Amino acid sequence: MPPEPPVHPASAFTHDGATLIWEARGSGDTTFVLVHGIGMGRTVFTGLADLLVEHGRVVALDLPGFGDSPEPARTPTIERLADIVAAFVRAERIQDPVLIGHSMGTQVIAEVAARHPDLHSRLVMIGPTVQIGQRRALVQLRKLAKDLADESPKVLITGAREYLRAGPNLRRKMRAMLVHRPEIIYPRISADTLVLRGEADTVSPRAWCEFVAATIPRARLREVPGSGHETMIKNPEPAARLILEWLAEV
């Protein structure tokens, strides 16, 4: 049997008054950096990380105020979160990272690519948010509830636990996500990009994902059959396969 990939204990990284928690697994020439969505944390990527670690180093983040990371003094904008992630990548000397973002995390990694092109990152945007014309909290919560209606207990339990951990400022964090306009920065992204959605995702409809892929100059769209917005939690194997196939092509 092959040796178990090395696991490094969780560590803290502080930049511009905000702290994120991160942990790394595995080794190799490729480093995957996993960035979660609103109300979530690095644990939602456990299944996907288990598959990607066979192909490189996997670094999972808790953004400031999420998961195990402490609540910052002020709620960061998406742009500030991107700057923190970029500073972390530089501090850890990660070369040519594959940035994998889910939901709100796609907004963060899009800003990383647009604001910090010198990092030479490649992007995987799973269930990109937030669709034009749908940027109201109640609208998004209804769409998420519809998406979760038929989800597995694993997805529901994982999501509920992480939302509880997101703390009392979740409303301000939601507002930071909703006021961000990702379509403005998409044309500025020069990185190779994979837009990935679950076939049944009501939070990230196909028409919106087609727009995202068409607006980013070097992007392509792929779908995971039979999955919703939380595709990398419920059944990460198809998502991992599509990511690895795409990396072999770019």
Side-chain angles (χ1 to χ4, degrees):
M1 295 180 62
E4 289 291 323
V7 179
H8 302 283
S11 302
F13 172 78
T14 300
H15 175 76
D16 190 26
T19 299
L20 61 77
I21 299 296
W22 65 281
E23 61 181 344
R25 300 170 55 190
S27 60
D29 294 334
T30 301
T31 299
F32 303 93
V33 179
L34 311 182
V35 184
H36 60 81
I38 185 76
M40 296 294 175
R42 70 187 190 278
T43 60
V44 301
F45 283 111
T46 299
L48 184 62
D50 288 342
L51 299 169
L52 295 179
V53 76
E54 300 176 11
H55 303 272
R57 185 170 181 243
V58 178
V59 179
L61 309 181
D62 282 343
L63 295 172
F66 296 96
D68 293 326
S69 292
E71 195 72 32
R74 54 189 175 93
T75 301
T77 62
I78 296 295
E79 292 86 350
R80 186 169 172 233
L81 289 175
D83 289 345
I84 293 167
V85 171
F88 165 77
V89 169
R90 290 193 180 97
E92 290 301 310
R93 301 179 184 274
I94 299 173
Q95 300 295 316
D96 306 331
V98 179
L99 304 180
I100 302 179
H102 172 246
S103 199
M104 182 195 76
T106 67
Q107 297 171 245
V108 176
I109 67 171
E111 284 286 357
V112 171
R115 295 165 71 86
H116 305 276
D118 58 296
L119 294 181
H120 303 292
S121 54
R122 288 163 287 175
L123 308 184
V124 179
M125 303 173 67
I126 306 176
T129 51
V130 176
Q131 182 183 7
I132 297 171
Q134 303 291 313
R135 291 168 181 158
R136 296 184 299 279
L138 288 178
V139 171
Q140 290 301 308
L141 290 172
R142 282 198 298 268
K143 289 160 72 83
L144 182 59
K146 182 178 179 181
D147 187 89
L148 293 174
D150 297 323
E151 279 291 8
S152 67
K154 176 183 177 182
V155 171
L156 297 175
I157 292 170
T158 300
R161 182 184 67 236
E162 293 300 328
Y163 265 83
L164 287 173
R165 296 173 73 198
N169 296 323
L170 186 57
R171 179 178 294 183
R172 291 210 299 266
K173 297 168 188 175
M174 176 75 77
R175 175 167 175 76
M177 179 186 78
L178 294 176
V179 299
H180 182 245
R181 297 294 182 263
E183 68 275 7
I184 295 174
I185 62 166
Y186 286 157
R188 293 167 41 204
I189 295 174
S190 60
D192 288 308
T193 302
L194 174 64
V195 179
L196 192 60
R197 71 176 295 270
E199 183 182 34
D201 188 346
T202 59
V203 178
S204 302
R206 181 173 178 85
W208 165 245
C209 291
E210 288 175 341
F211 169 82
V212 174
T215 309
I216 298 174
R218 299 173 63 179
R220 64 189 70 177
L221 173 64
R222 297 289 184 271
E223 285 190 324
V224 179
S227 291
H229 193 58
E230 313 297 339
T231 179
M232 79 293 175
I233 303 175
K234 180 179 180 180
N235 182 20
E237 288 86 355
R241 184 180 68 253
L242 288 171
I243 291 170
L244 294 169
E245 289 176 353
W246 168 75
L247 281 174
E249 297 169 357
V250 297

